[in-house]
Amino acid sequence: FAIGMMTREALGHTGRYIDADRWILFMYFCVLLGGVMRVVVPLLAESWYIKSLHHSSGWWTLGFFSLPNKVRPNPSKTQA
C-alpha cells in the first residue's frame, strides 16, 4: 500500500503520467516478494527463519530503494 501511494504521488507531483511501467512493477514485485517470504518461509521451514528474515528484508529494501531512481526530478519540466 505504501509504495503504491508513494509512486502515485511522486509521479503526479513531478508531472509524469501515472502508469505502472516495468520499473514500477519491479519495485512492487520486490516488496511483495519480501512480504510473502517473511510470512510463508518460516511457516514452511522453521530452520530457515533467520535466512528468510535476511532475504525478505533485502527484497523489501531493494523495492523501496528503487523508488528514487524512477521518480527523480524531471529536468524537461520547468519549475513555476
Side-chain angles (χ1 to χ4, degrees), residues 15-37:
R16 294 182 173 93
Y17 291 111
I18 301 173
D19 67 350
D21 61 0
R22 288 182 182 175
W23 191 255
I24 292 175
L25 291 176
F26 172 74
M27 292 187 302
Y28 292 170
F29 174 76
C30 288
V31 172
L32 179 67
L33 182 63
V36 169
M37 186 179 288

Side-chain angles (χ1 to χ4, degrees), residues 24-58:
I24 292 175
L25 291 176
F26 172 74
M27 292 187 302
Y28 292 170
F29 174 76
C30 288
V31 172
L32 179 67
L33 182 63
V36 169
M37 186 179 288
R38 170 69 174 92
V39 173
V40 173
V41 172
L43 293 174
L44 299 177
E46 195 172 315
S47 62
W48 290 0
Y49 178 69
I50 298 298
K51 288 183 183 179
S52 72
L53 288 179
H54 288 278
H55 288 284
S56 67
S57 64

